[in-house]
Amino acid sequence: MRIVIAGGHGQIALRLEQLLAARGDEVAGIIRNPEQADALQQLGVEPVVLDLESASVADVAEQLRGADAAVFAAGAGPGSGAARKETVDKAAAILFADAAVRAGVRRFVVVSSMGADPTHQGDEIFDVYQRAKGEADAYVRGLGSLEWTILRPGMLTDDAGTGLVRLEAHTGRGPIPRADVAAVLAELVEGSSTAGLTLELISGPVPIPVAVKAVAGE
């Protein structure tokens, strides 16, 4: 498979890219900072320098053309203000989805946030973030030409992955290592059995391949 990942130098994306490259997929990571290119190349990943805050749909579609799947794993990051929650977590996600449609990429996976809700109230930065992610998710859900899956992890940790999770429509809150999020994404992107599902993810008792098959009804 050829898989293009937005936010290619993010903590989850780097782990995902390593997994995909190791299993033989052709992986491209979209990054804004050219200084991050070496880190991707060392993983066997093609770096694509492109700023999703200023790029056009046509620019992004050009990079997506010929891909089998696209993953939106970009984020403004914890140190950013409310404005970048709108331009990255919402607008860039919508741009990436529109570009996937234009490029004819069907499989589309979004790394969202537990509690993301377009009607979320409040003016704190985290409130703006939850609303922005919710609005982006709602937009993706409305694109009938995409086989989308939205993944909403719980509290992210840097603990070692266990390979054991709870992956359901509603899990309740809980922690999840970034390594396990990446491993779930690697399973989700491989096929479209979970298309049309919004899934929450926390640590749990079920091996990841089993959890993905179960939620897909297999």
Side-chain angles (χ1 to χ4, degrees):
M1 295 179 70
R2 176 170 172 80
I3 301 162
V4 180
I5 300 170
H9 196 261
Q11 294 186 67
I12 290 172
L14 286 169
R15 291 167 169 86
L16 173 60
E17 288 159 352
Q18 187 169 20
L19 291 173
L20 296 176
R23 78 182 185 194
D25 289 323
E26 182 184 338
V27 187
I30 295 177
I31 54 175
R32 187 178 57 168
N33 184 351
E35 293 179 1
Q36 297 169 341
D38 283 350
L40 271 65
Q41 288 171 331
Q42 288 172 16
L43 297 175
V45 174
E46 174 195 345
V48 175
V49 180
L50 187 66
D51 187 350
L52 294 178
E53 289 179 89
S54 60
S56 68
V57 172
D59 292 335
V60 182
E62 186 61 31
Q63 301 303 326
L64 283 168
R65 205 153 276 118
D68 299 291
V71 179
F72 185 81
S80 58
R84 293 201 71 229
K85 307 304 183 192
E86 291 288 333
T87 59
V88 179
D89 295 294
K90 177 183 172 181
I94 289 171
L95 174 79
F96 197 59
D98 285 341
V101 172
R102 181 176 293 200
V105 179
R106 297 277 297 167
R107 189 70 179 117
F108 193 84
V109 179
V110 177
V111 183
S112 185
S113 171
M114 193 173 289
D117 181 351
T119 65
H120 185 91
Q121 298 298 305
D123 298 316
E124 298 296 322
I125 288 178
F126 189 69
D127 297 322
V128 175
Y129 170 74
Q130 292 288 63
R131 196 159 51 244
K133 293 296 280 185
E135 288 169 344
D137 290 354
Y139 185 86
V140 169
R141 286 196 197 100
L143 295 174
S145 59
L146 292 182
E147 295 173 344
W148 55 263
T149 300
I150 294 169
L151 184 66
R152 292 177 167 176
M155 184 183 72
L156 298 170
T157 75
D158 287 325
D159 296 340
T162 66
L164 299 171
V165 300
R166 279 188 65 194
L167 179 68
E168 300 165 15
H170 301 287
T171 61
R173 294 191 177 272
I176 181 77
R178 288 179 173 86
D180 284 334
V181 177
V184 169
L185 289 167
E187 290 280 337
L188 293 177
V189 81
E190 194 167 17
S192 57
S193 61
T194 59
L197 299 180
T198 300
L199 302 169
E200 294 183 351
L201 174 68
I202 59 173
S203 292
V206 183
I208 287 169
V210 176
V212 172
K213 285 188 171 113
V215 81
E218 297 179 355

